[in-house]
Amino acid sequence: DRLSFVQSAPWFYEGTALGVSKAGSLGKACERLGISPEEVMAFGDAQNDMSMLDFAGYGVAMGNACDELKEMADEITATNNEDGIALTLSRHFDI
């Protein structure tokens, strides 16, 4: 009742204090910056990123992401090793 666990890879099982998540941290950053979740683009590759992609207005799964994350993402990009984040940012923004 004090810890939360999530499997982030077949060989990783992560534990955090109950209620701590990437979505919660991203929410606090949004509050401090004065932006809404709809203005956020989040990238992830594992189960521990699911809350963050669910929170963000636009969720991107890396090409090497777990199937569950790919299913919930708005977009699937190239893998971590193929500069997926840079490719997606360059498609969505003038950079």
Side-chain angles (χ1 to χ4, degrees), residues 19-93:
V20 173
S21 70
K22 291 185 179 186
S25 298
L26 192 53
K28 288 183 182 200
C30 285
E31 287 176 23
R32 288 185 181 177
L33 295 170
I35 61 175
S36 70
E38 293 79 23
E39 297 175 276
V40 173
M41 180 182 284
F43 295 82
D45 62 359
Q47 288 93 340
N48 64 343
D49 297 317
M50 292 176 77
S51 67
M52 179 176 60
L53 262 65
D54 191 47
F55 173 87
Y58 195 80
V60 183
M62 304 305 294
N64 56 291
C66 64
D67 290 337
E68 297 94 341
L69 200 70
K70 287 180 178 179
E71 290 172 13
M72 68 180 295
D74 297 299
E75 177 182 337
I76 300 171
T77 191
T79 69
N80 296 350
N81 293 333
E82 298 169 326
D83 297 326
I85 292 174
L87 292 170
T88 297
L89 291 175
S90 67
R91 277 196 308 273
H92 288 271
F93 303 97

